[in-house]
Amino acid sequence: MRTTASRTALSLAALGLLVAGCGDDSKGSGASESAPHTRPRALEVAKAWDGSSAAETWRAGYYPLGDPVQLPDGAFHSGADKEAYLSRNFALRGDLPKTSRKDAKVTWRDGESLTLPLMDARATYDKLGGGNGPGPRLTVTGARLGETTVATSRGPATVPAWLFTIDGYDTPLKRVALGPSKPPKSPISAVDSPTNELWELNRVVAVAADGRSVTVRAHHGACDDGPAVDVLETDDSVVLSGYMVGTKDGICTAQLLAEKVTVELDRPLGDRILLDAFTGRPVRGAE
């Protein structure tokens, strides 16, 4: 299964020193062949979830995949604006509206819906980051309640969103106005500890509009060629196994990095559950 990796926007955590493993003769993060060492664990995870009560709970809930924020058209006008957004540095000029609504409705394309608590404008603004940090800021001048479409574990859904007016932009920044449903307990435990052959995935970045590819952030270290993601597809689930390629012998600084990896599927994701082989749980979406 082909995967491609993007080395943009790495997240780093300095942890001291570790001894990097060796002997992995897999190709780099763009490798086209599957990683056979991941398959037994992926099969265990798929077997545990397929047809389980946890899967039933998951399919009945609202679990967004990808970013809950949709940027204004033409974003960004400058490098300073982009820096402000990436650092979550916003300034509020004026008051945010209040609403008497307490509930929010999620509606899927097949007509099914789910009612969840509505997040008010202030709480949603705080999710953007608020921000009193140094450097450039994006100025919010107002907001109104509207709707947007998001990718979810059950396919695209229409959800309420707060539409924030950003100074200098003609269209609003949209932020989903509700949180996900409580996740079910996994029917299978996580792996005890990560290895070069299996590592926990960071999160879902995006699902293609046609559902035929999924982009995730996958972890790797400082002394390898990057991450790769193997995929196991069943009728009810898609199990992703993150691993490292091109590992080297010797002492290596223990840095935890993450890269975007896009995995192509044999058929659209649909309402199949996207699972992480390492944790045994659904791959989490953006917060």
Side-chain angles (χ1 to χ4, degrees):
M1 187 60 58
R2 186 164 68 86
T3 65
T4 57
S6 168
R7 292 178 181 264
T8 59
L10 299 184
S11 64
L12 173 65
L15 303 174
L17 294 176
L18 68 86
V19 178
C22 65
D24 186 344
D25 59 359
S26 301
K27 294 184 180 179
S29 53
S32 60
E33 71 274 11
S34 63
H37 49 261
T38 67
R39 194 54 53 103
R41 169 64 181 179
L43 287 168
E44 289 179 0
V45 172
K47 183 178 179 180
W49 274 88
D50 291 359
S52 68
S53 59
E56 292 179 8
T57 299
W58 186 263
R59 288 197 175 87
Y62 165 67
Y63 302 101
L65 303 174
D67 200 330
V69 176
Q70 296 178 6
L71 298 175
D73 294 342
F76 293 95
H77 292 341
S78 68
D81 283 359
K82 184 176 182 179
E83 179 184 345
Y85 177 73
L86 292 177
S87 61
R88 297 295 191 258
N89 215 12
F90 289 81
L92 178 61
R93 189 175 70 204
D95 297 324
L96 294 174
K98 300 187 185 318
T99 178
S100 59
R101 283 183 57 182
K102 301 298 182 183
D103 295 328
K105 181 175 283 190
V106 182
T107 304
W108 284 272
R109 287 181 176 175
D110 61 5
E112 292 190 11
S113 63
L114 181 66
T115 299
L116 293 169
L118 178 71
M119 193 182 300
D120 65 27
R122 182 70 214 198
T124 306
Y125 173 77
D126 290 343
K127 286 286 187 181
L128 290 176
N132 291 308
R137 299 182 183 181
L138 289 171
T139 300
V140 174
T141 60
R144 63 182 176 86
L145 189 60
E147 292 182 336
T148 191
T149 300
V150 296
T152 79
S153 59
R154 296 165 60 178
T158 300
V159 300
W162 285 102
L163 281 51
F164 293 97
T165 304
I166 306 295
D167 189 29
Y169 290 83
D170 295 332
T171 58
L173 179 151
K174 301 179 181 180
R175 208 290 177 186
V176 173
L178 73 167
S181 302
K182 181 180 178 180
K185 181 179 179 180
S186 175
I188 186 172
S189 298
V191 173
D192 290 337
S193 59
T195 67
N196 295 328
E197 295 185 347
L198 188 61
W199 201 278
E200 180 179 357
L201 297 172
N202 182 283
R203 63 179 176 86
V204 180
V205 175
V207 177
D210 62 3
R212 294 298 296 265
S213 67
V214 177
T215 300
V216 297
R217 286 178 65 82
H219 289 127
H220 71 106
C223 300
D224 54 62
D225 293 334
V229 178
D230 187 34
V231 58
L232 172 71
E233 300 189 48
T234 74
D235 289 341
D236 296 325
S237 61
V238 173
V239 185
L240 302 182
S241 303
Y243 62 102
M244 301 178 189
V245 293
T247 55
K248 303 172 181 65
D249 275 333
I251 299 298
C252 178
T253 57
Q255 296 173 329
L256 183 62
L257 308 176
E259 295 181 15
K260 293 180 182 179
V261 178
T262 297
V263 180
E264 296 180 359
L265 305 179
D266 290 335
R267 57 189 175 89
L269 178 63
D271 67 350
R272 292 184 293 170
I273 305 172
L274 193 64
L275 297 164
D276 182 347
F278 182 90
T279 65
R281 299 191 300 267
V283 185
R284 69 184 184 90
E287 298 177 355

